[in-house]
Amino acid sequence: MDAKRVAAFGTAVSVLAVVWRFHRVSDIHSEYVKFLSGHDTVTAYIAYPERPAPAPAVIVIHEIFGISDFVRQTTEQLAKDGFLAIAPDLLSRRGGTPASQDSARKLIAALPPDSITADLNATKDYVKKLKAVRPDAIGVIGFCWGGGQSFRYATNAPDLKAFVVCYGPAPNAADMARIRAQGLGVYAENDARMTAGAPDAAAAMRAAGKTYPYTIYPGVGHGFLRSREKPEVADSAWSAVIRFFRAQLKS
């Protein structure tokens, strides 16, 4: 084989190696799992990253519509980004997320806070026992209704390391003193109902001796990570979320 062919062959092998490595990094496995929460069974969608060492884990709290394609895709994307991700169906005790969004909204609005906390605790306990997970590196992220639940859950889970609030309301200021995790807020400029509360949430966290950095993303509205009305803005927000989780969970 002459020198030119050798060089061309070497280049082709190098390109294939890069493609193979890229494919392996983004390769994931996902499935539904079930586990107990008290006497009830919770169904959750879980996605495993392809990595040699145990991964930090992120619990994904769904919107008021329950488990959806967006939630499953977000769970898978977190796995592609190197985290084991799990999204519990918080309507499991009610027979699971119904097909109708209106029905899901009504059911979720009636969920007792203690029941939500119990099911999130059961989810956290489940992933902590997995060999693929680092049990000391657990975070949580929530969207809309789930964003508020992410913030509230941080007040009830002192072993959490990180929480992300995507355009969700804050808990009572008095409860923030119990938070041990680091938080991050993601808000939208055209979402006055949620964004207006961000400065007060940050002030309450400061009063409790903690920080709550947040960003108001320009030109987008409520649910922009799902709607992707401006893909470049959604991608920027997601990149910030991943950097935060990697820093706090030592990914």
Side-chain angles (χ1 to χ4, degrees):
M1 187 179 294
D2 60 36
K4 289 185 178 179
R5 289 184 179 180
V6 169
F9 178 77
T11 300
V13 170
S14 297
V15 170
L16 286 173
V18 169
V19 171
W20 184 84
R21 285 199 300 271
F22 177 79
H23 174 73
R24 296 298 297 173
V25 168
S26 63
D27 194 19
I28 64 168
H29 168 75
S30 59
E31 62 185 356
Y32 281 97
V33 294
K34 295 180 182 293
F35 47 86
L36 287 177
S37 177
H39 296 295
D40 294 296
T41 299
V42 173
T43 300
Y45 188 68
I46 190 169
Y48 296 82
E50 188 73 23
R51 53 184 287 165
V58 177
I59 299 169
V60 181
I61 307 180
H62 55 65
E63 299 166 300
I64 202 166
F65 310 120
I67 291 290
S68 63
D69 287 343
F70 167 69
V71 172
R72 284 184 286 267
Q73 290 163 4
T74 299
T75 303
E76 292 167 0
Q77 184 58 54
L78 280 162
K80 292 175 183 177
D81 289 324
F83 304 92
L84 182 140
I86 184 167
D89 185 347
L90 296 174
L91 286 176
S92 294
R93 296 173 186 258
R94 304 294 189 273
T97 295
S100 165
Q101 288 190 348
D102 286 340
S103 297
R105 187 183 297 110
K106 291 175 183 176
L107 288 171
I108 287 178
L111 289 177
D114 288 348
S115 172
I116 297 169
T117 300
D119 290 350
L120 291 174
N121 280 337
T123 304
K124 176 164 58 68
D125 291 343
Y126 173 80
V127 296
K128 277 188 170 186
K129 296 174 183 176
L130 297 176
K131 291 182 179 179
V133 169
R134 285 172 40 212
D136 62 339
I138 310 293
V140 63
I141 185 172
F143 303 86
C144 308
W145 175 85
Q149 295 303 321
S150 177
F151 213 149
R152 189 187 68 83
Y153 187 53
T155 70
N156 290 295
D159 55 340
L160 275 184
K161 289 296 188 291
F163 68 97
V164 175
V165 179
C166 296
Y167 29 82
N172 294 329
D175 295 336
M176 294 183 188
R178 300 199 302 267
I179 294 176
R180 297 291 178 267
Q182 295 296 315
L184 178 72
V186 175
Y187 298 92
E189 181 181 33
N190 302 330
D191 183 22
R193 182 172 65 93
M194 290 298 172
T195 300
D200 289 341
M205 287 285 279
R206 285 195 299 272
K210 309 164 199 314
T211 60
Y212 179 62
Y214 65 88
T215 300
I216 299 173
Y217 287 89
V220 291
H222 189 75
F224 73 93
L225 285 167
R226 168 173 43 80
S227 68
R228 293 184 61 79
E229 56 187 291
K230 289 192 174 182
E232 69 280 7
V233 176
D235 290 344
S236 175
W238 186 254
S239 293
V241 167
I242 295 304
R243 287 196 302 271
F244 171 76
F245 275 139
R246 284 176 176 162
Q248 301 304 325
L249 302 180
K250 305 298 188 291
S251 174

